[in-house]
Amino acid sequence: MSRSIALCLITLALIPVFGSAGSAQDADAEDDRRCLDYGTTRGTQAYVECRVTLERRSDEARPAPYGGRIAPPAGEQTISDGLALSECERRARQVAPYPIKRRATSFVFPGREKRASLSFEINKPGSSSAFWNVDCKFAGNAMTDFSAR
Protein backbone atom coordinates (compact mmCIF):
# COMPACT_ATOMS: atom_id res chain seq x y z
CA MET A 1 0.00 0.00 0.00
CA SER A 2 2.77 2.46 0.88
CA ARG A 3 4.51 1.62 -2.41
CA SER A 4 1.43 2.74 -4.42
CA ILE A 5 1.24 5.98 -2.40
CA ALA A 6 4.93 6.64 -3.08
CA LEU A 7 4.38 5.99 -6.79
CA CYS A 8 1.44 8.42 -6.83
CA LEU A 9 3.50 11.09 -5.07
CA ILE A 10 6.36 10.69 -7.56
CA THR A 11 3.93 10.92 -10.46
CA LEU A 12 2.36 14.09 -9.04
CA ALA A 13 5.80 15.61 -8.48
CA LEU A 14 6.79 14.99 -12.12
CA ILE A 15 3.66 16.55 -13.68
CA PRO A 16 4.94 20.17 -13.41
CA VAL A 17 8.34 19.16 -14.84
CA PHE A 18 6.91 17.53 -17.96
CA GLY A 19 3.96 19.91 -18.19
CA SER A 20 6.21 22.96 -18.47
CA ALA A 21 7.58 21.82 -21.84
CA GLY A 22 4.06 21.81 -23.23
CA SER A 23 3.30 25.25 -21.86
CA ALA A 24 6.55 26.61 -23.34
CA GLN A 25 5.60 25.15 -26.72
CA ASP A 26 2.10 26.61 -26.36
CA ALA A 27 3.56 30.04 -25.55
CA ASP A 28 5.89 29.77 -28.57
CA ALA A 29 2.98 28.87 -30.86
CA GLU A 30 0.91 31.74 -29.41
CA ASP A 31 3.75 34.24 -30.01
CA ASP A 32 4.12 32.94 -33.58
CA ARG A 33 0.37 33.36 -34.20
CA ARG A 34 0.34 36.87 -32.69
CA CYS A 35 3.23 38.05 -34.87
CA LEU A 36 1.61 36.61 -37.99
CA ASP A 37 -1.68 38.31 -37.01
CA TYR A 38 0.20 41.62 -36.81
CA GLY A 39 0.96 41.19 -40.51
CA THR A 40 4.56 40.03 -40.30
CA THR A 41 6.00 37.15 -42.32
CA ARG A 42 8.30 34.48 -40.91
CA GLY A 43 11.91 35.17 -41.78
CA THR A 44 11.52 38.95 -42.06
CA GLN A 45 13.10 41.56 -39.79
CA ALA A 46 9.62 42.64 -38.63
CA TYR A 47 8.79 39.06 -37.58
CA VAL A 48 12.07 38.74 -35.64
CA GLU A 49 11.50 42.07 -33.90
CA CYS A 50 7.95 41.05 -33.02
CA ARG A 51 9.12 37.78 -31.47
CA VAL A 52 11.88 39.57 -29.53
CA THR A 53 9.38 42.11 -28.20
CA LEU A 54 6.95 39.41 -27.08
CA GLU A 55 9.79 37.48 -25.44
CA ARG A 56 10.96 40.58 -23.58
CA ARG A 57 7.44 41.29 -22.37
CA SER A 58 7.16 37.68 -21.21
CA ASP A 59 10.49 37.97 -19.39
CA GLU A 60 9.38 41.21 -17.73
CA ALA A 61 6.15 39.59 -16.56
CA ARG A 62 8.06 36.88 -14.69
CA PRO A 63 8.92 37.69 -11.09
CA ALA A 64 12.48 38.95 -10.78
CA PRO A 65 14.95 37.21 -8.51
CA TYR A 66 14.77 38.16 -4.87
CA GLY A 67 11.22 39.43 -5.31
CA GLY A 68 12.06 42.75 -6.97
CA ARG A 69 12.47 44.24 -10.43
CA ILE A 70 15.14 46.66 -11.49
CA ALA A 71 13.45 50.04 -11.57
CA PRO A 72 14.60 53.28 -13.19
CA PRO A 73 16.61 55.54 -10.89
CA ALA A 74 14.52 57.56 -8.44
CA GLY A 75 12.80 60.49 -10.12
CA GLU A 76 13.36 59.20 -13.67
CA GLN A 77 10.16 58.82 -15.65
CA THR A 78 9.70 56.81 -18.80
CA ILE A 79 7.18 57.40 -21.54
CA SER A 80 4.39 54.81 -21.86
CA ASP A 81 4.33 52.50 -24.89
CA GLY A 82 1.08 54.03 -26.18
CA LEU A 83 2.35 57.58 -25.87
CA ALA A 84 5.66 56.63 -27.53
CA LEU A 85 3.76 55.25 -30.56
CA SER A 86 1.47 58.29 -30.64
CA GLU A 87 4.37 60.77 -30.51
CA CYS A 88 6.29 58.84 -33.16
CA GLU A 89 3.26 58.85 -35.48
CA ARG A 90 2.67 62.59 -34.87
CA ARG A 91 6.28 63.35 -35.80
CA ALA A 92 6.08 61.14 -38.90
CA ARG A 93 2.98 62.98 -40.10
CA GLN A 94 4.77 66.32 -39.62
CA VAL A 95 7.72 65.39 -41.82
CA ALA A 96 6.11 63.02 -44.35
CA PRO A 97 6.68 64.22 -47.92
CA TYR A 98 3.38 62.65 -49.07
CA PRO A 99 0.11 61.61 -47.40
CA ILE A 100 0.63 58.49 -45.29
CA LYS A 101 -1.65 55.79 -43.92
CA ARG A 102 -0.62 53.93 -40.79
CA ARG A 103 -0.38 50.18 -41.15
CA ALA A 104 -1.06 47.71 -38.35
CA THR A 105 2.63 47.01 -37.88
CA SER A 106 4.02 48.85 -34.88
CA PHE A 107 6.40 47.81 -32.12
CA VAL A 108 7.77 49.30 -28.93
CA PHE A 109 11.08 48.00 -27.68
CA PRO A 110 11.52 48.56 -23.94
CA GLY A 111 14.68 49.56 -22.17
CA ARG A 112 16.41 52.60 -20.74
CA GLU A 113 16.18 54.10 -24.23
CA LYS A 114 12.75 53.05 -25.48
CA ARG A 115 12.33 52.62 -29.27
CA ALA A 116 9.07 52.83 -31.19
CA SER A 117 8.82 51.55 -34.78
CA LEU A 118 5.90 52.18 -37.12
CA SER A 119 5.12 51.29 -40.71
CA PHE A 120 3.16 53.50 -43.10
CA GLU A 121 1.81 53.21 -46.61
CA ILE A 122 2.68 56.24 -48.74
CA ASN A 123 0.20 57.71 -51.20
CA LYS A 124 2.91 58.89 -53.60
CA PRO A 125 1.67 60.14 -56.97
CA GLY A 126 2.70 57.82 -59.78
CA SER A 127 3.52 54.96 -57.44
CA SER A 128 1.35 51.89 -57.08
CA SER A 129 2.43 51.06 -53.54
CA ALA A 130 5.20 52.42 -51.35
CA PHE A 131 6.01 51.87 -47.71
CA TRP A 132 7.76 54.05 -45.17
CA ASN A 133 9.18 52.82 -41.86
CA VAL A 134 10.00 55.17 -39.01
CA ASP A 135 11.88 54.68 -35.74
CA CYS A 136 11.75 56.96 -32.73
CA LYS A 137 13.97 56.74 -29.65
CA PHE A 138 12.99 58.10 -26.26
CA ALA A 139 14.97 58.82 -23.13
CA GLY A 140 12.65 59.45 -20.20
CA ASN A 141 9.69 61.34 -21.65
CA ALA A 142 11.57 63.02 -24.51
CA MET A 143 12.10 61.89 -28.11
CA THR A 144 15.85 61.82 -28.71
CA ASP A 145 15.98 60.51 -32.28
CA PHE A 146 13.71 60.16 -35.31
CA SER A 147 14.66 58.27 -38.44
CA ALA A 148 12.73 57.23 -41.56
CA ARG A 149 13.59 54.79 -44.33
Side-chain angles (χ1 to χ4, degrees):
M1 184 98 153
S2 64
R3 184 175 174 164
S4 63
I5 291 173
L7 186 58
C8 286
L9 290 175
I10 291 172
T11 303
L12 289 174
L14 291 176
I15 288 174
V17 173
F18 291 111
S20 65
S23 63
Q25 289 173 346
D26 293 344
D28 187 54
E30 175 66 18
D31 287 353
D32 179 64
R33 184 195 59 76
R34 286 180 66 191
C35 289
L36 294 174
D37 287 349
Y38 289 145
T40 65
T41 303
R42 285 184 194 98
T44 63
Q45 182 65 28
Y47 178 81
V48 171
E49 289 177 354
C50 176
R51 293 298 300 264
V52 167
T53 300
L54 293 176
E55 185 175 325
R56 284 183 184 155
R57 287 181 183 166
S58 174
D59 288 346
E60 289 176 358
R62 286 189 204 115
Y66 309 111
R69 292 178 61 179
I70 297 172
E76 183 180 318
Q77 297 179 358
T78 57
I79 192 167
S80 70
D81 291 0
L83 187 55
L85 287 171
S86 178
E87 286 297 307
C88 193
E89 181 174 356
R90 184 183 62 75
R91 177 70 183 272
R93 291 190 183 284
Q94 288 176 343
V95 300
Y98 301 101
I100 58 176
K101 177 182 175 186
R102 183 170 170 185
R103 298 180 48 86
T105 307
S106 62
F107 302 100
V108 176
F109 301 94
R112 182 174 282 290
E113 185 177 59
K114 189 174 282 195
R115 185 171 66 108
S117 294
L118 294 116
S119 180
F120 296 92
E121 184 175 340
I122 299 176
N123 295 323
K124 185 177 179 180
S127 174
S128 60
S129 180
F131 298 95
W132 194 46
N133 298 309
V134 300
D135 287 315
C136 301
K137 291 182 181 174
F138 297 86
N141 287 324
M143 187 183 302
T144 58
D145 188 38
F146 175 87
S147 62
R149 57 189 185 292

